[in-house]
Amino acid sequence: DGGITQSPKYLFRKEGQNVTLSCEQNLNHDAMYWYRQDPGQGLRLIYYSQIVNDFQKGDIAEGYSVSREKKESFPLTVTSAQKNPTAFYLCASTPSGGPGELFFGEGSRLTVL
Amino acid sequence: AQSVTQLGSHVSVSEGALVLLRCNYSSSVPPYLFWYVQYPNQGLQLLLKYTSAATLVKGINGFEAEFKKSETSFHLTKPSAHMSDAAEYFCAVINQAGTALIFGKGTTLSVSS
C-alpha cells in the first residue's frame, strides 16, 4: 500500500544529543514537509522540499536540519541547538507544486530527558 | 500574510447534536482552505477542501463547510454528531507563495452519549 512511513514512532534522547527522524514515502510525490505539533499550538512548519536536492526553511527551522537526496526520503535531524525539542513531529507529502491535499505519516513523538 | 484562527479550543456536543467548528481566515490572495481531522497519536486526514469552486464543500464522514468571503469564514459543520467524531480538527490555508499549508491551533471535539 502507498503511504508515508515515519520512524521511530517514539524516541527518547538526552539533552545535547542529535537525533534523526526518518520519513519515507512511496507515493511518488515531489514535495515533502516536516511539521512540529505542540499541545494548543497547532502545526508549525519546520522545513519543506519541493524537489530533490532542494529544501526551504519554514517558520521554525532553527535547531533543525534536513536533506533530500532521494525523492522518497526526507529525514529530519533535531540538533542539540534546538532549545525545546520535545514534541510530536509530522511528515507530509503532496504530489507536485503547491500543496493541494497533504498526506501525513503517523508521526514521531520525541521526548528529551 | 495568510493565517487562520479557530474559535474555541474545545467544543463539546451530545451525540446526535449539530457540530459547528469555527474557522476564520486572513489571506491576501484568493484562499485555498482545508479542514483536517486528527485522532490521538496519529497523523492528519483530509476532511474537505475549498479551491474556489463551489462555496459549499462536502467532505468525508458527513462533514461539510461553507466558504463565506464576506465573513472570511470557513466553518465546519455536521448535522448529527457521532461518538466516532471525537478528535482534534484543524483548519488550514495555503501560504502566499502557494508552497505550504498554514494551520490553525486546532479544536478538540468531544462527543458525549
Side-chain angles (χ1 to χ4, degrees):
Chain A
D1 286 338
I4 299 177
T5 302
Q6 289 188 239
S7 62
K9 191 168 179 66
Y10 298 96
L11 184 62
F12 298 87
R13 78 154 217 218
K14 296 180 179 179
E15 282 191 27
Q17 290 180 334
N18 292 354
V19 61
T20 297
L21 306 180
S22 171
C23 178
E24 303 278 332
Q25 55 99 358
N26 60 4
L27 300 167
N28 200 33
H29 286 175
D30 290 316
M32 297 186 73
Y33 303 81
W34 276 105
Y35 285 90
R36 169 179 171 142
Q37 184 178 13
D38 297 281
Q41 301 260 1
L43 279 71
R44 292 180 290 169
L45 184 64
I46 305 172
Y47 270 98
Y48 64 99
S49 168
Q50 294 182 288
I51 57 173
V52 174
N53 292 323
D54 189 42
F55 48 82
Q56 287 76 41
K57 293 182 179 180
D59 299 318
I60 56 166
E62 184 175 353
Y64 299 97
S65 65
V66 293
S67 62
R68 186 87 187 276
E69 298 176 0
K70 299 186 297 182
K71 185 176 183 177
E72 57 270 23
S73 179
F74 192 42
L76 174 73
T77 296
V78 184
T79 75
S80 57
Q82 168 51 232
K83 299 303 180 189
N84 185 18
T86 294
F88 190 52
Y89 292 88
L90 287 159
C91 180
S93 69
T94 194
S96 64
E101 176 180 357
L102 285 183
F103 295 78
F104 282 85
E106 294 278 296
S108 293
R109 186 169 298 281
L110 171 63
T111 302
V112 175
L113 305 173
Chain B
Q2 277 35 3
S3 67
V4 290
T5 301
Q6 293 185 241
L7 303 175
S9 60
H10 199 151
V11 171
S12 297
V13 300
S14 299
E15 194 171 22
L18 172 70
V19 175
L20 171 60
L21 304 182
R22 300 178 187 272
C23 174
N24 287 91
Y25 70 89
S26 173
S27 178
S28 57
V29 297
Y32 284 4
L33 294 158
F34 304 79
W35 275 101
Y36 283 84
V37 61
Q38 183 183 36
Y39 298 98
N41 294 311
Q42 293 188 22
L44 277 68
Q45 178 185 8
L46 181 71
L47 279 176
L48 49 82
K49 62 183 177 183
Y50 168 76
T51 56
S52 75
T55 57
L56 182 63
V57 182
K58 295 187 183 298
I60 62 171
N61 301 338
F63 284 94
E64 63 181 36
E66 186 172 8
F67 173 72
K68 292 186 176 181
K69 184 177 180 180
S70 61
E71 298 177 8
T72 61
S73 69
F74 190 56
H75 301 331
L76 181 71
T77 61
K78 182 174 180 178
S80 176
H82 191 271
M83 297 293 285
S84 61
D85 294 327
E88 190 161 19
Y89 292 80
F90 293 93
C91 183
V93 64
I94 281 189
N95 66 0
Q96 191 166 359
T99 54
L101 292 190
I102 299 169
F103 286 85
K105 294 188 175 183
T107 298
T108 300
L109 175 65
S110 299
V111 182
S112 58
S113 57

